[in-house]
Amino acid sequence: MTIDAPQIATKREAGQFVVIMTDEKGERIPLTIVDSDKDAGTVTIIFQVVGKTTMCLAAMKEGEDLFAVLGPLGTPTEMEKFGTTVVVGGGVGIGVAYPIIKALQEAGNKVIAIIGARTKDILILEDEIREICDRLIVATDDGSYGVHGFVTNVLQDLIESGEVINRVFAIGPVPMMKFLCEVTRPYKIKTIVSLNPIMVDATGMCGACRVAVGGKTKFACVDGPEFDGHDVDFDLLTNRLRMYNGEEEEARKGCRCHE
Amino acid sequence: MSKIDKIPRQDMPEQDPKVRSANFDEVPLGYTKEQAMLEAKRCIQCKKPLCITGCPVDVDIPGFIRLIAEGDFIGAALKLKETNALPAICGRVCPQEDQCEAVCVLGKKGEPVAIGRLERFAADYERESGNIMIPAVALPTGKKVAVVGAGPAGLTIAGDLVKVGHDVTVFEALHKAGGVLIYGIPEFRLPKSIVDAEVNYLEKLGVKIVVNAAIGRIKTVDELFEEGFDAVFLGVGAGAPVFMNIPGENLSGIYSANEYLTRSNLMKAYRFPEYDTPIVRGKNVVVIGGGNVAMDSVRTALRLGADNAYIIYRRTEIEMPARAEEVHHAKEEGVQFRLLTNPIEYTGDENGWVTGMKCIRMELGEPDESGRRRPVPVKDSEFVIDVDTVVVAVGAMANPLVASTTPGLEINRWDYIVANEETGETSRKGVYAGGDIVTGSATVILAMGAGRNSARAIDEYLKK
């Protein structure tokens, strides 16, 4: 989805996100900025329909107005010339990986991208990423396209093949990020993950998004959303993401967006 | 004894505690015209009124009360608005018992005039009459002022500066203007329609309000100057929550008061699923803290259906910073107070949801730097409370978003902005600050007072 937001388009950096509300009664949800076009004054977001807000978002037509768009939020990706980098994107996380790949490339890094999805049909941004990275490896869980298997296996094989990797970025579902961090941990390859906890204001005011990193509480909205994955307590994140599962079900049933 | 002395202080009708603890409607119902006039007649119109000295924004208290006594309610509202931009709000949330009413002469022997209730009455009368006068503003000065944060300080200064002819734009990070009045104070204490009406009034005066604009992210203070603003006022509040850093504090079901109240008030989670944002409707809810925010949280928990709603506070009721009225209302509604108690650890279930709060009993020792007796733990007094929801309401701290992106802006060791108490001047030329971001957590009216003072200072600065 492309959003008309000229100031955000000018300001935003890789790793940052926006908060949107579809309507006055809606929830505030954070979505990573995938790309921006300063000349056109637009930012691009990619989302997966999981709850009521994303359902309503998907039902919006071109030219309609979002009730609120706030951004750019979060600390941008720490960017420098690291050397050889591997960016792993899983599922809708590929959208978050894309701007990081782009920025790494611009900073002069060698970028190997590994993108994966459950099946071929839901794989996103393959062509766009192929164009901007040095090497792309695609994996699908069901083997319908590319390597048959998980991105974790692909990364493991890559490391074992002797590729010297200076930094890994891992963005995707929590279990994927957790296991990727276990792959890189024995090799002491610094692994940056992008976390997606529940947020409300997303400016550091409420603490809904608190995560434990290296035993310390951090707010993903201002201290993150990117952290050193080897220090992140993923089990806590998983639990906190489940806090409103019951209510989410109830909200979906009462969806207004097709009224 | 004169006849006037015999009029007792008029009680304001309230919703029945049993009824109101299950709804979010406002608790006090306001004076009738007759009650207001009767109460107004109690004011003896002192030659040297002490009450004005007790007011942070110098409201002409005897003046507006005399107009109420004469039945000129609109006149009273206009008198209030000469110095107070938000009288309907102040009449509700100011701690009058520590300010104007504390020094009222009648209070020496009996009960002070109910200044707050009268202020509320006059402002409500004007608003409900639908006949809100928009005063003429001065000719444009050609000077532009950016106000960062649409809370009590920001709204006050915006109103003051627009009236003297400056071009004022308020930037607010949230999607709605009002700051703590919108996200923090619940509907049952301050109906949001009142805040909306006050914001609307400012817009009619010519104030421009830009929501969804987090200064420090979308623009820096320096960029505001580059865009042509001549002065910037920072009234961003003390918007970051304080946690206690005790084991288990990140378990599901544990909220900061900021989050709990923001969900309920700003996002209207109490009306879920009509509104999309959910909130945990706990059965056994503990709120930690003794301030107004704690009272607001615990009374919200009751209204969300808690069977047991507790206040846990490490000192005694005497040291509680909350207004007496809030504590009284909470008690009436069935809040259980567990005083001289402090949490030390949380335990959770296999899903990471909080189930127990381990507490320790406290006793009061020697006074600390705040002058209050320091609570000290009683050895071997630990016990566990069954909980499913916890709200941590032990204070707030500075949100560094603006200060950290404004080079040369002096902050103190708690990240609060260093500003002149009288004028709000900061270490940066043309940058002023006031409210909680300077003082730390305080009250709506003190923030408004700071906004008022900075308005004068900025006006003088712009005239140079």
Side-chain angles (χ1 to χ4, degrees):
Chain A
M1 178 179 269
T2 309
I3 303 171
D4 190 31
Q7 289 183 335
I8 300 175
T10 311
K11 272 278 173 165
R12 75 99 192 175
E13 293 177 56
Q16 290 190 297
F17 63 95
V18 287
V19 159
I20 62 112
M21 284 175 82
T22 53
D23 68 314
E24 201 182 347
K25 294 183 177 180
E27 202 171 357
R28 294 169 67 95
I29 63 159
L31 292 166
T32 301
I33 303 168
V34 175
D35 208 352
S36 61
D37 183 334
K38 284 179 195 175
D39 299 326
T42 57
V43 294
T44 306
I45 53 166
I46 292 183
F47 58 92
Q48 187 176 11
V49 176
V50 286
K52 183 175 170 186
T53 308
T54 42
M55 274 167 76
C56 292
L57 205 52
M60 287 185 78
K61 294 177 193 72
E62 198 177 334
E64 282 187 282
D65 284 334
L66 288 164
F67 176 72
V69 182
L70 167 70
L73 300 169
T75 304
T77 309
E78 182 197 354
M79 200 46 69
E80 58 184 78
K81 190 167 177 183
F82 300 107
T84 299
T85 58
V86 176
V87 182
V88 189
V92 76
I94 299 170
V96 183
Y98 177 78
I100 298 174
I101 295 170
K102 207 170 165 180
L104 283 168
Q105 193 65 260
E106 283 164 8
N109 292 282
K110 177 183 174 186
V111 186
I112 302 170
I114 303 172
I115 61 172
R118 215 173 58 243
T119 185
K120 186 186 177 193
D121 297 343
I122 55 171
L123 188 74
I124 56 168
L125 295 174
E126 185 196 348
D127 295 340
E128 289 85 346
I129 289 175
R130 191 182 303 281
E131 216 169 274
I132 56 168
C133 69
D134 294 281
R135 186 177 163 202
L136 173 69
I137 309 168
V138 180
T140 51
D141 299 0
D142 64 358
S144 55
Y145 187 59
V147 179
H148 186 175
F150 299 118
V151 288
T152 39
N153 308 122
V154 176
L155 180 64
Q156 182 81 48
D157 291 347
L158 191 69
I159 295 171
E160 282 172 9
S161 75
E163 183 80 50
V164 178
I165 302 166
N166 302 98
R167 185 166 286 211
V168 170
F169 293 82
I171 308 100
V174 177
M176 183 205 101
M177 291 192 285
K178 180 180 170 178
F179 290 121
L180 276 168
C181 288
E182 290 319 308
V183 169
T184 56
R185 194 188 301 271
Y187 303 96
K188 298 195 170 66
I189 306 170
K190 187 157 184 174
T191 303
I192 303 297
V193 294
S194 179
L195 305 184
N196 58 335
I198 295 168
M199 294 183 187
V200 184
D201 68 285
T203 61
M205 196 184 93
C206 83
C209 65
R210 57 199 199 271
V211 290
V213 182
K216 288 205 175 85
T217 296
K218 299 278 181 189
F219 290 0
C221 70
V222 285
D223 301 323
E226 292 175 11
F227 295 101
D228 185 336
H230 292 152
D231 291 336
V232 169
D233 182 344
F234 287 103
D235 296 337
L236 175 72
L237 177 64
T238 304
N239 282 335
R240 289 187 63 85
L241 280 166
R242 283 200 295 245
M243 226 171 127
Y244 299 100
N245 278 3
E247 285 87 353
E248 236 164 63
E249 185 60 34
E250 199 184 331
R252 262 199 299 271
K253 283 184 203 147
C255 185
R256 295 181 301 276
C257 60
H258 293 294
E259 273 169 13
Chain B
M1 199 181 256
S2 76
K3 201 176 164 191
I4 289 164
D5 289 335
K6 287 179 191 158
I7 305 173
R9 182 175 157 112
Q10 298 295 297
D11 283 332
M12 183 162 50
E14 288 177 348
Q15 274 199 75
D16 182 83
K18 281 202 185 71
V19 176
R20 74 182 192 232
S21 63
N23 70 47
F24 278 81
D25 298 338
E26 194 175 13
V27 169
L29 302 170
Y31 278 155
T32 61
K33 285 185 205 172
E34 294 72 26
Q35 281 174 312
M37 288 174 75
L38 211 52
E39 180 65 30
K41 286 189 179 113
R42 295 183 62 229
C43 174
I44 57 170
Q45 298 289 324
C46 302
K47 286 258 168 10
K48 285 183 185 164
L50 291 173
C51 49
I52 301 181
T53 64
C55 176
V57 296
D58 307 322
V59 165
D60 178 2
I61 294 167
F64 94 83
I65 290 181
R66 186 176 59 239
L67 289 163
I68 292 180
E70 289 166 2
D72 181 2
F73 307 136
I74 297 281
L78 295 177
K79 177 61 76 183
L80 278 161
K81 281 188 172 174
E82 283 174 10
T83 49
N84 184 349
L86 312 167
I89 294 167
C90 291
R92 288 171 165 82
V93 304
C94 267
Q96 291 97 6
E97 64 278 13
D98 301 325
Q99 298 176 164
C100 51
E101 293 181 19
V103 289
C104 173
V105 169
L106 292 194
K108 285 189 180 150
K109 282 186 181 166
E111 287 196 280
V113 176
I115 300 167
R117 293 170 184 179
L118 289 172
E119 178 181 30
R120 171 193 159 134
F121 168 80
D124 284 0
Y125 184 89
E126 189 206 20
R127 189 183 64 259
E128 284 159 15
S129 75
N131 185 18
I132 297 176
M133 286 253 297
I134 307 294
V137 300
L139 289 172
T141 60
K143 301 286 186 185
K144 287 177 70 180
V145 182
V147 174
V148 183
L155 293 179
T156 302
I157 193 170
D160 283 6
L161 289 176
V162 85
K163 276 188 219 162
V164 293
H166 301 305
D167 181 352
V168 183
T169 306
V170 182
F171 295 94
E172 166 58 45
L174 292 171
H175 59 271
K176 214 165 162 29
V180 73
L181 307 171
I182 283 285
Y183 76 74
I185 302 177
E187 181 77 16
F188 56 82
R189 210 150 71 78
L190 177 64
K192 299 307 145 221
S193 59
I194 293 172
V195 183
D196 291 345
E198 302 285 14
V199 171
N200 195 273
Y201 170 76
L202 290 176
E203 285 181 309
K204 281 191 181 145
L205 281 175
V207 174
K208 281 168 270 185
I209 298 180
V210 183
V211 294
N212 301 310
I215 298 301
R217 290 284 193 216
I218 189 83
K219 281 174 200 169
T220 61
V221 168
D222 286 303
E223 285 167 326
L224 290 172
F225 283 115
E226 283 165 28
E227 273 181 27
F229 285 101
D230 300 292
V232 176
F233 176 79
L234 304 173
V236 296
V242 172
F243 286 96
M244 298 175 72
N245 293 315
I246 57 178
E249 206 172 22
N250 291 334
L251 286 165
S252 296
I254 304 180
Y255 287 106
S256 72
N258 270 4
E259 182 185 356
Y260 193 68
L261 293 173
T262 299
R263 280 180 181 273
S264 185
N265 302 331
L266 173 72
M267 305 309 294
K268 302 230 182 311
Y270 71 91
R271 285 163 71 176
F272 178 89
E274 183 200 346
Y275 283 75
D276 293 346
T277 303
I279 192 165
V280 174
R281 290 176 175 259
K283 288 296 159 199
N284 295 300
V285 185
V286 167
V287 176
I288 306 159
N292 287 325
V293 172
M295 297 307 139
D296 285 343
S297 301
V298 79
R299 295 173 69 198
T300 296
L302 269 184
R303 285 159 172 79
L304 290 171
D307 294 330
N308 293 296
Y310 304 97
I311 281 285
I312 293 217
Y313 183 55
R314 62 195 179 128
R315 306 183 204 240
T316 72
E317 196 174 323
I318 302 163
E319 291 86 13
M320 276 194 175
R323 291 186 67 192
E325 181 181 289
E326 304 310 326
V327 176
H328 169 73
H329 278 151
K331 281 186 180 167
E332 274 188 336
E333 289 165 10
V335 170
Q336 302 166 56
F337 285 71
R338 298 281 182 274
L339 305 175
L340 289 169
T341 302
N342 210 25
I344 47 176
E345 188 182 345
Y346 299 100
T347 49
D349 64 14
E350 65 282 4
N351 296 317
W353 201 285
V354 66
T355 53
M357 178 193 237
K358 193 175 181 186
C359 296
I360 190 160
R361 298 218 187 278
M362 311 291 278
E363 60 190 4
L364 292 183
E366 294 301 309
D368 63 11
E369 63 273 21
S370 75
R372 299 180 297 181
R373 290 177 65 193
R374 186 193 301 275
V376 285
V378 177
K379 218 177 158 219
D380 298 326
S381 67
E382 290 92 344
F383 65 102
V384 174
I385 302 179
D386 290 337
V387 294
D388 53 31
T389 309
V390 175
V391 180
V392 183
V394 296
M397 53 189 184
N399 186 329
L401 210 51
V402 173
S404 65
T405 55
T406 311
L409 186 68
E410 196 190 333
I411 53 174
N412 68 19
R413 61 186 172 116
W414 300 282
D415 287 346
Y416 292 117
I417 297 171
V418 177
N420 181 306
E421 235 175 85
E422 303 289 311
T423 62
E425 279 172 289
T426 68
S427 56
R428 283 281 308 265
K429 190 172 184 291
V431 179
Y432 296 73
D436 283 4
I437 192 59
V438 172
T439 58
S441 303
T443 60
V444 168
I445 188 68
L446 286 174
M448 289 176 57
R452 159 80 21 92
N453 290 343
S454 284
R456 280 194 211 112
I458 289 178
D459 187 40
E460 275 167 33
Y461 169 74
L462 294 177
K463 276 178 184 158
K464 272 178 200 164

